[in-house]
Amino acid sequence: KKQSLSAPAVSRIHIHLEKHGAISHPARILLCPADRLIAFVVNVAVSTEGQNIALNEYRLLRQLSGRVGSAWVPRVFGCDKVRIADQRHIQMFLGEWFDGFHEFHVSEKFGFGETSLRVWDPKNESLFLTRDLTQTVFEQMAMILTAYYNIETFEQITSWHHAAGDFVVCLKKDKPIVKLITVRGYEPLFNLSVASDGLEAILNTLLVFLLNLSIRLRVDRMDGVGDLTWIEANVVQGIIHGFFKGLYLQAENDHIPFELIDVFKTFLLQIPDMDIRKIFMGIVNQINPKSPDLPVIKQNVEVHVKTFLSEIERMKI
């Protein structure tokens, strides 16, 4: 909701440095007029690499704003360079702050070796999500990423990772709402050497998108900074449901015809299990050998394929 606010109406401005990232440094800005608090985020990049990434992120957030009805990524309001000491410059951009949203990561629950997703809420440091809430969170993450997938160019949001805290959650009356706070990349998953068009290309590429999504959403770091870990199997059902919800969002916003959703579902259910397994293995083989995620993915992919196929079988009933 747009509101005008004059400078004299702001009695105080509070600046809170939230975290130091490898590329940028986000700060929360609180404007304090008499009757309310208004929160923004300022992302600050110092290095040359960081400044280039910040400019690209600002451009992508503007590009994707309004693609789907709900604001799943932050709105941005301005970007500029600021000169500091010794003729150096820093890059900054102003964006929407998702107030009440927090990171969440796999964590050991109550010290007994059991793990679950813990929400980093400073007011409740023991806030662990139940299995049902965890599945809902993963459903929403898959929905968001699918909603921003471009079915014509095969572009998708890339370079996101749980460990970076890119997804955040807010629990309202025990119902989670998930958002994505950054878009560092938006490009096709694989470089296509030949022109690809037609329904067959759309269906095959959408299948690869879904299978790759189901893998990447299961990788996190313990407590966001520890060892890489594989997230529990019950989230796969949520990922598949979220994928189809994302397609419906696209159809509701006139990016794809509703009929395509049923066509893809029929296509998916008719693929032999062995072919799906081959595609999964092909995706794993395309992962950069230097990626720290690769060992944990290789260790778990066979069981993941079985879980995925089991969920697809349930859709046939």
Side-chain angles (χ1 to χ4, degrees), residues 53 55-68 73 143-160 180 182-191 209 216 250 255-256:
I53 291 174
L55 275 172
N56 187 57
E57 180 180 358
Y58 176 77
R59 177 183 64 81
L60 291 175
L61 287 171
R62 290 196 63 181
Q63 174 186 334
L64 296 178
S65 175
R67 177 173 169 82
V68 289
V73 296
M143 178 189 68
I144 292 168
L145 292 168
T146 305
Y148 287 108
Y149 174 72
N150 190 318
I151 209 156
E152 296 178 349
T153 64
F154 312 131
E155 291 173 300
Q156 59 188 286
I157 295 174
T158 59
S159 303
W160 57 269
L180 178 64
T182 181
V183 178
R184 300 187 194 89
Y186 191 69
E187 56 196 1
L189 177 60
F190 302 118
N191 292 324
F209 171 83
R216 291 200 58 205
Q250 290 221 33
H255 296 303
I256 63 172

Side-chain angles (χ1 to χ4, degrees), residues 66-125:
R67 177 173 169 82
V68 289
S70 299
W72 305 114
V73 296
R75 294 170 294 170
V76 289
F77 309 110
C79 182
D80 205 354
K81 270 191 174 182
V82 178
R83 191 171 71 179
I84 56 176
D86 303 325
Q87 302 300 310
R88 292 182 298 156
H89 290 79
I90 57 175
Q91 187 76 48
M92 309 170 70
F93 72 82
L94 180 70
E96 180 181 11
W97 176 267
F98 291 143
D99 203 24
F101 286 76
H102 309 286
E103 286 187 40
F104 53 94
H105 296 287
V106 176
S107 184
E108 188 171 317
K109 193 175 183 179
F110 309 130
F112 297 116
E114 179 187 356
T115 60
S116 182
L117 284 189
R118 183 169 69 88
V119 180
W120 285 13
D121 183 351
K123 296 179 181 178
N124 184 359
E125 295 184 358

Side-chain angles (χ1 to χ4, degrees), residues 16-19 25-30 37-43 73-77 94-103 168 179 181:
H16 305 266
L17 182 61
E18 291 295 325
K19 63 191 292 187
H25 313 280
R28 179 163 51 106
I29 310 297
L30 283 177
L37 297 177
I38 303 172
F40 297 93
V41 61
V42 170
N43 279 302
V73 296
R75 294 170 294 170
V76 289
F77 309 110
L94 180 70
E96 180 181 11
W97 176 267
F98 291 143
D99 203 24
F101 286 76
H102 309 286
E103 286 187 40
V168 291
K179 300 205 178 202
I181 64 172

Side-chain angles (χ1 to χ4, degrees), residues 289-307:
K290 296 181 180 179
S291 169
D293 294 356
L294 187 55
V296 72
I297 291 173
K298 282 187 171 181
Q299 182 181 350
N300 291 279
V301 66
E302 289 285 358
V303 176
H304 175 74
V305 173
K306 292 179 182 178
T307 304

Side-chain angles (χ1 to χ4, degrees), residues 226-246:
D227 293 336
L228 284 159
T229 187
W230 192 248
I231 298 169
E232 60 188 83
N234 80 304
V235 301
V236 175
Q237 181 182 357
I239 291 169
I240 295 172
H241 288 174
F243 167 81
F244 281 101
K245 283 189 174 183

